[in-house]
Amino acid sequence: MNPSELRTLIALNTLVFETLGQPEKEREFNFKSLKRWGLDLIVGKRNGHDAVFVGEFGKHKPSESFEEAGEHFEVIEILSELPKGSKLFARIQMNEGTAFLIGELRDGAQNREVLRLPAPALLMAFARKHSLPHVAEAIRSVGTATELVRQRGQEGKPVPFNQLSNVPRRFLREAKKIEKSMGFGRVSLAYFGENKDKDERFRLSWLVPTVALLDIDCAEKIDKLLSAFK
């Protein structure tokens, strides 16, 4: 079989499972999430105006000032909780092909943007910091949705659904549950069976909402599920 014929065979027999809907763009997070992302929440001044903003965890101290991205910041207090009556929401915003995580404090009267950071770097650092090796290894692209890819072994003709072994069946079943809780997901699985050494051969692509992947509970479930394909 030549490469062109193999690509056609894989395309015609790859299994696709979709939880239709728009990728979740916004989610509420708690104060601990900022710490998990490696950030401090700071009260101070930004270019001379009262502001709340984030800084690298442990990097800044009260009474100091610093320059960043052409702006002047003064640190008054490092917060240990969200301001009273405020909630933290984060969303993904795309700009010229790059995903940015935008964080806002909302207290009913106003929305205050406190962070705007490139989502790919933040997500990768988050996964590595919190022992999510399978997520970190699988990240291929980050937008409103993040593409996770795992592949192993020589490609061949994908196995039809009714001939799948327990591992891929269990993965698909649990992935569907996770996607239902997130409201979106798309799994593309070409499972080629085992080789002569009983190692599984497959190619897996999974789209999940990026803001959900930045939630430690969701991320841990996804990492555990990805570990099934060793």
Side-chain angles (χ1 to χ4, degrees):
M1 185 183 305
N2 63 45
S4 178
E5 291 173 332
L6 179 59
R7 285 195 298 271
T8 299
L9 189 65
I10 292 173
L12 293 177
N13 292 278
T14 293
L15 302 174
V16 177
F17 298 86
E18 297 177 319
T19 299
L20 297 178
Q22 291 296 319
E24 184 180 11
K25 291 185 177 180
E26 182 176 86
R27 176 175 285 224
E28 183 178 356
F29 291 89
N30 57 29
F31 182 79
K32 289 183 179 179
S33 295
L34 289 172
K35 300 299 183 184
R36 293 188 180 105
W37 299 341
L39 301 172
D40 275 327
L41 187 61
I42 301 170
V43 173
K45 291 183 179 293
R46 184 174 190 167
N47 296 326
H49 300 286
D50 292 340
V52 181
F53 49 90
V54 298
E56 184 180 337
F57 180 74
K59 183 176 181 179
H60 303 293
K61 305 295 182 184
S63 301
E64 76 172 49
S65 60
F66 62 95
E67 303 283 336
E68 189 172 287
E71 296 187 292
H72 181 75
F73 295 88
E74 299 174 45
V75 179
I76 296 175
E77 181 184 2
I78 309 295
L79 296 179
S80 58
E81 60 183 2
L82 294 178
K84 186 176 181 179
S86 295
K87 294 183 178 181
L88 174 66
F89 288 85
R91 70 179 189 276
I92 296 296
Q93 180 175 303
M94 301 300 298
N95 183 23
E96 296 182 343
T98 298
F100 287 84
L101 183 70
I102 313 299
E104 292 182 344
L105 285 179
R106 299 178 186 171
D107 60 11
Q110 61 178 337
N111 296 346
R112 292 179 290 178
E113 183 178 307
V114 295
L115 72 90
R116 179 181 291 265
L117 297 170
L122 184 68
L123 179 58
M124 188 66 75
F126 169 74
R128 289 171 174 165
K129 178 181 178 181
H130 295 287
S131 300
L132 304 168
H134 306 291
V135 168
E137 181 184 341
I139 293 172
R140 290 297 180 272
S141 62
V142 179
T144 304
T146 291
E147 182 184 20
L148 304 172
V149 174
R150 298 206 71 182
Q151 185 168 0
R152 181 178 182 180
Q154 185 177 4
E155 295 180 336
K157 181 180 179 180
V159 173
F161 180 79
N162 60 7
Q163 294 180 25
L164 291 177
S165 63
N166 289 334
V167 170
R169 280 180 178 272
R170 184 166 55 251
F171 174 87
L172 293 171
R173 183 173 61 250
E174 295 303 317
K176 188 71 173 179
K177 293 178 183 178
I178 294 174
E179 290 177 359
K180 185 176 180 180
S181 71
M182 298 186 298
F184 172 84
R186 183 183 190 274
V187 171
S188 172
L189 175 64
Y191 183 75
F192 309 116
E194 297 179 345
N195 62 17
K196 62 181 181 180
D197 297 320
K198 301 299 182 180
D199 293 326
E200 292 175 307
R201 301 176 299 131
F202 61 88
R203 186 185 187 282
L204 168 71
S205 173
W206 192 8
L207 289 177
V208 298
T210 299
V211 288
L213 201 52
L214 283 164
D215 184 308
I216 190 65
D217 292 334
C218 285
E220 287 178 342
K221 291 176 183 177
I222 290 171
D223 189 79
K224 182 178 180 180
L225 193 52
L226 287 173
S227 71
F229 283 108
K230 299 179 180 179

